[in-house]
Amino acid sequence: MRLVIARCSVDYAGRLTAHLPSAPRLILVKADGSVSVHADDRAYKPLNWMSPPCTLKESEENGVAVWTVVNKAGEKLIITMEEILHDSSHELGVDPGLIKDGVEAHLQELLADRMETLGEGWSLIRREYPTAIGPVDILGRDAQGNTVAIEIKRRGEIDGVEQLTRYLELLNRDPHLAPVRGVFAAQEIKPQARVLATDRGIDCVVLDYDALRGIEDDKLRLF
């Protein structure tokens, strides 16, 4: 990964055009070829970016460094470097992936063992069902025999809904599984996540960890 902090302006030319005036910014160039431009706010979201596959060409115009990033559609991200404050590269190696905490992993195990708590006639196909972008927590079938992808979180937020949406898009390309619907299950689901899930046709389930562990209540609240 290459990290560059620079006073720069950014222009995007593609289906739309956009301009970021001169300001100090962080530019990330990752091993997959992606380039993203960040300000010191907005959490993890970049101001502008170019997703791979794309190419980065560094040139100089009137003594000023200019980066031109072009994707396969011919869209361009042009970064004009007025002053480079920091430029370093770091080899991060292969990422081991996300490791779920004990509670989240145990929720997955308990729910897989007790699929009937989601509804009578529900059954398990597989835990950690593999996809090209990572494993789905639980793949199962409902009482009508339809395939269901279940994503489990301790705290359900928008990122989890987005993750499940990507899984569903891939799974529904498989004619042996499609149609696949989604269930977003968590001990707590944030209102924004619930709204997004509902908009995308994804059911939300609130999990009671203690009840699942103690088998005190066979009912989950399905909204």
Side-chain angles (χ1 to χ4, degrees):
M1 177 181 290
R2 185 178 178 186
L3 308 175
V4 176
I5 299 174
R7 179 174 293 278
C8 63
S9 60
V10 183
D11 292 279
Y12 172 80
R15 289 167 293 179
L16 301 172
T17 59
H19 174 71
L20 293 172
S22 177
R25 297 189 176 94
L26 168 66
I27 303 164
L28 299 182
V29 183
K30 295 187 178 181
D32 62 3
S34 63
V35 178
S36 56
V37 181
H38 299 258
D40 200 10
D41 61 7
R42 296 167 58 95
Y44 60 90
K45 294 183 179 179
L47 296 166
N48 215 326
W49 69 94
M50 192 69 82
S51 300
C54 56
T55 58
L56 168 61
K57 178 182 177 181
E58 298 185 43
S59 60
E60 189 173 299
E61 296 181 9
N62 300 320
V64 176
V66 177
W67 290 12
T68 303
V69 188
V70 183
N71 66 11
K72 63 179 181 180
E75 298 168 317
K76 294 183 179 180
L77 189 67
I78 301 170
I79 307 172
T80 303
M81 307 283 194
E82 299 169 12
E83 181 183 9
I84 295 178
L85 306 173
H86 174 85
D87 188 347
S88 64
S89 297
H90 308 270
E91 180 61 52
L92 302 185
V94 178
D95 190 88
L98 178 67
I99 300 175
K100 297 178 183 293
D101 66 33
V103 172
E104 199 168 295
H106 199 203
L107 280 170
Q108 182 192 121
E109 180 182 351
L110 290 168
L111 193 56
D113 287 342
R114 303 179 64 208
M115 289 291 289
E116 71 281 359
T117 56
L118 290 172
E120 186 177 350
W122 284 54
S123 61
L124 174 70
I125 295 176
R126 178 173 171 175
R127 288 176 56 191
E128 300 288 338
Y129 187 88
T131 76
I133 58 173
V136 178
D137 287 339
I138 294 177
L139 195 70
R141 296 195 187 279
D142 62 18
Q144 289 72 45
N146 299 312
T147 309
V148 184
I150 305 167
E151 181 65 26
I152 298 172
K153 301 292 184 186
R154 186 165 66 175
R155 176 178 295 175
E157 301 189 36
I158 284 177
D159 285 355
V161 178
E162 295 284 8
Q163 181 181 0
L164 179 53
T165 300
R166 293 191 293 270
Y167 289 148
L168 290 170
E169 182 181 350
L170 284 177
L171 293 170
N172 273 300
R173 296 178 189 174
D174 187 338
H176 300 292
L177 297 175
V180 185
R181 66 185 182 92
V183 171
F184 188 51
Q187 289 179 281
E188 174 192 0
I189 299 178
K190 296 294 185 179
Q192 300 93 331
R194 187 183 297 279
V195 169
L196 181 60
T198 300
D199 182 68
R200 296 183 177 180
I202 295 171
D203 292 325
C204 291
V205 173
V206 176
L207 300 174
D208 187 330
Y209 182 48
D210 291 333
L212 280 171
R213 286 195 306 167
I215 318 180
E216 297 168 357
D217 183 2
D218 283 336
K219 302 289 185 182
L220 295 181
R221 298 187 294 281
L222 181 60
F223 300 94

